[in-house]
Amino acid sequence: MVEKVKFKVFRYRPEDGGKGFYKEYEVPVKKGMTILDGLIYIKENIDPTLSVRYSCRMAICGSCGVRVNSLETLACHTQVLELKRRVIRVEPMRNYPLVKDLVTDMTPLFRKQKALMTWLIRQDNVEQENPTKQYLQSEEELERYLQFTYCIQCGLCYSACPVVSTFPDFYGPQPLMKAYRYYADSRDEGGEERVRLVDRFEGVWRCHFAGSCSAVCPKGVDPALAIQLLRRSALKG
Amino acid sequence: MLARGVSRSSVIQSLKVMLIPGRYGLERWSYVLQRVSGVVVSLYFIAHVLETGNFVGGITVWSVPDYSFAERAYEETVKLLKNPIFDAGLAVVGFLVALHTINGIRLVLAHFGFSLGRPRRPEPFSPPPSFSSKQRALFWLSISLAVFALLYTLDSLMKVFRP
Ligand code: HEM
Ligand code: SF4
Ligand code: FES
């Protein structure tokens, strides 16, 4: 059965300047169709000027983050009929510079991750580049950070965070969560350096535990938990 | 007033994000309530000190006024405040203080990494470990005590629940 659903899509053209506007499209929807399918339908059949970013269409690449009816979600992971609405509002994520329509510039997220050195740090760089053995790890050691490795860097949590909205210098949920992911990894030797990086006003101390990051994460990562655990480590010194 | 590079619309946007919990769930409600209650209780505290300070001569407190002055100031203040609007306002302050304290303790525990779940493999439809049942219970406890404080204040000031 095909139903008509109205997509109210945010449009923004940088060359026009200004604030952007909403444009409505009628989309025929079948069971199983996602928001992304709807947007692609609009692009192919109604308005080819609509810009939307996507790649995998299966909630793996993290490209298609948008706000649907005021809640951050992956467009490819949200079924239209499950929303049970006649009108669906699709907007770009918050807290990022806007490129065009639904496409945001993810640079702030990646810049902050880099500032927090979210990669494996080993004291012996020579060995790290030319490993002679495996870095072994027990099941328990794995469980300490495994949850945080499920992150696909979609940046939805960063868009949902009210602290980033009101204080853009805050590192934000995803970069801080990633810092904890390495801090808690028994193979990592970043230790004190990692704590020093987040032990500042723009770091863990700014989190107010509004939990919106964990509420919207499509991968069940729970950045809010990681930040509190990281703050605990910073308190221990 | 506004800092350089801060436009009026971004201030309004920030206020909206701060004050409207939207569809983000309980923890976001807690964030909004903790802020609002913190600010309101701070304002109340200032007003309260100014008001009670009047009995001893307000800003001229260092030269202690005589007793009759204090008595008159007290009578006047009591008369001014003895009306249903101030009573209702005080009930709201009671609500916010109870909420802020218990929810504040919940937040302190969370910020120290206590009462949260442990990291675990994500499972569909199960809440994030940081939204633990202990945390949720403390939140609802703060709401319950706040409602109790509201009703209790209304009852003692306005005798609403007495025959
Ligand atoms: C037992 C008493 C209290 C406790 C346990 C408590 C705890 C807290 C906590 C945990 C926060 C939130 C910090 C965060 O968001 O990360 C907070 C915020 C705040 N509190 Fe209190 N507080 C108490 C009493 C007071 C009093 C008496 C006042 C004012 C006179 C006050 C004013 C504020 C203000 C203005 C905020 C700011 C809200 C924010 O930053 O989100 N608090 N309090
Ligand atoms: S923590 Fe979740 S919401 Fe945030 S970037 Fe990673 S997958 Fe996306
Ligand atoms: S298109 Fe890859 S996550 Fe949605």
Side-chain angles (χ1 to χ4, degrees):
Chain A
M1 201 187 68
V2 178
E3 265 183 64
K4 290 265 185 206
V5 172
K6 198 175 275 170
F7 274 51
K8 207 175 154 190
V9 183
F10 182 85
R11 302 298 308 270
Y12 167 77
R13 286 166 31 113
E15 58 270 35
D16 291 353
K19 282 182 152 183
F21 55 95
Y22 290 88
K23 201 161 169 187
E24 292 185 1
Y25 305 95
E26 286 262 313
V27 179
V29 177
K30 292 191 293 224
K31 190 164 178 246
M33 203 165 146
T34 64
I35 296 287
L36 182 63
D37 293 333
L39 294 170
I40 294 173
Y41 176 88
I42 295 170
K43 203 168 162 56
E44 286 182 345
N45 300 289
I46 312 177
D47 187 348
T49 66
L50 176 67
S51 294
V52 45
R53 178 169 51 213
Y54 65 95
S55 178
C56 69
R57 292 167 294 132
M58 48 194 284
I60 282 300
C61 72
S63 314
C64 67
V66 286
R67 299 179 85 226
V68 172
N69 293 341
S70 304
L71 210 57
E72 279 74 4
T73 184
L74 294 176
C76 69
H77 194 48
T78 310
Q79 297 205 3
V80 180
L81 293 181
E82 280 186 358
L83 297 171
K84 297 192 173 62
R85 294 281 169 88
R86 298 253 128 238
V87 181
I88 290 171
R89 195 156 39 105
V90 188
E91 298 162 300
M93 288 190 284
R94 283 172 170 166
N95 302 342
Y96 300 99
L98 209 49
V99 177
K100 182 175 179 290
D101 299 339
L102 300 174
V103 181
T104 46
D105 176 1
M106 309 296 284
T107 310
L109 191 79
F110 300 139
R111 188 170 46 75
K112 286 172 179 177
Q113 277 193 64
K114 200 171 166 198
L116 294 181
M117 311 215 290
T118 52
W119 51 81
L120 193 78
I121 298 176
R122 297 284 289 185
Q123 296 307 332
D124 188 348
N125 295 82
V126 182
E127 162 68 23
Q128 190 177 5
E129 295 304 320
N130 308 286
T132 52
K133 58 179 181 341
Q134 296 177 42
Y135 302 150
L136 292 179
Q137 196 162 52
S138 72
E139 188 78 16
E140 294 84 66
E141 284 168 336
L142 176 69
E143 295 284 341
R144 259 178 243 155
Y145 70 88
L146 181 65
Q147 179 167 28
F148 309 122
T149 65
Y150 283 74
C151 174
I152 57 171
Q153 310 199 55
C154 60
L156 291 172
C157 51
Y158 190 89
S159 166
C161 176
V163 182
V164 178
S165 294
T166 50
F167 179 68
D169 284 346
F170 178 50
Y171 281 118
Q174 195 274 351
L176 287 167
M177 175 281 295
K178 208 62 181 286
Y180 184 75
R181 176 249 175 276
Y182 284 102
Y183 178 78
D185 188 332
S186 61
R187 299 165 299 178
D188 187 82
E189 297 173 348
E192 278 176 28
E193 172 76 351
R194 293 201 182 283
V195 172
R196 194 183 57 75
L197 286 173
V198 299
D199 179 9
R200 57 178 70 179
F201 193 56
E202 307 82 42
V204 288
W205 305 112
R206 197 64 203 208
C207 168
H208 292 274
F209 198 45
S212 311
C213 49
S214 304
V216 301
C217 177
K219 291 286 160 183
V221 168
D222 203 353
L225 175 64
I227 298 174
Q228 311 320 306
L229 296 175
L230 195 56
R231 171 157 29 203
R232 185 178 182 160
S233 315
L235 276 167
K236 280 189 192 155
Chain B
M1 258 297 271
L2 298 176
R4 208 144 29 118
V6 178
S7 68
R8 194 165 295 275
S9 69
S10 77
V11 171
I12 291 170
Q13 187 58 33
S14 290
L15 282 174
K16 272 193 190 162
V17 171
M18 244 191 252
L19 296 176
I20 305 173
R23 300 169 56 213
Y24 293 109
L26 220 70
E27 282 69 19
R28 183 67 167 258
W29 273 94
S30 148
Y31 162 84
V32 172
L33 288 170
Q34 191 71 4
R35 288 228 138 157
V36 171
S37 59
V39 171
V40 171
V41 172
S42 303
L43 293 178
Y44 171 77
F45 177 75
I46 295 168
H48 178 68
V49 168
L50 289 177
E51 165 220 277
T52 46
N54 276 334
F55 310 156
V56 288
I59 205 89
T60 64
V61 62
W62 306 119
S63 56
V64 180
D66 52 283
Y67 183 70
S68 65
F69 173 88
E71 199 172 21
R72 205 178 58 230
Y74 180 78
E75 300 294 340
E76 273 171 14
T77 311
V78 167
K79 216 157 76 197
L80 172 74
L81 298 182
K82 191 73 212 140
N83 72 55
I85 295 184
F86 279 107
D87 286 353
L90 207 55
V92 172
V93 170
F95 176 90
L96 294 176
V97 167
L99 184 119
H100 191 92
T101 309
I102 308 299
N103 196 42
I105 292 168
R106 174 183 85 85
L107 285 170
V108 170
L109 286 175
H111 285 339
F112 280 87
F114 296 112
S115 72
L116 304 167
R118 286 155 157 273
R120 56 157 166 66
R121 283 164 207 252
E123 300 204 6
F125 310 114
S126 64
S130 64
F131 302 176
S132 66
S133 43
K134 281 182 205 153
Q135 280 281 312
R136 289 275 166 105
L138 276 170
F139 177 76
W140 288 116
L141 179 69
S142 75
I143 297 284
S144 319
L145 287 180
V147 171
F148 175 78
L150 179 89
L151 300 178
Y152 184 83
T153 321
L154 282 180
D155 187 48
S156 26
L157 295 174
M158 298 159 93
K159 319 254 178 297
V160 280
F161 300 112
R162 290 177 207 182

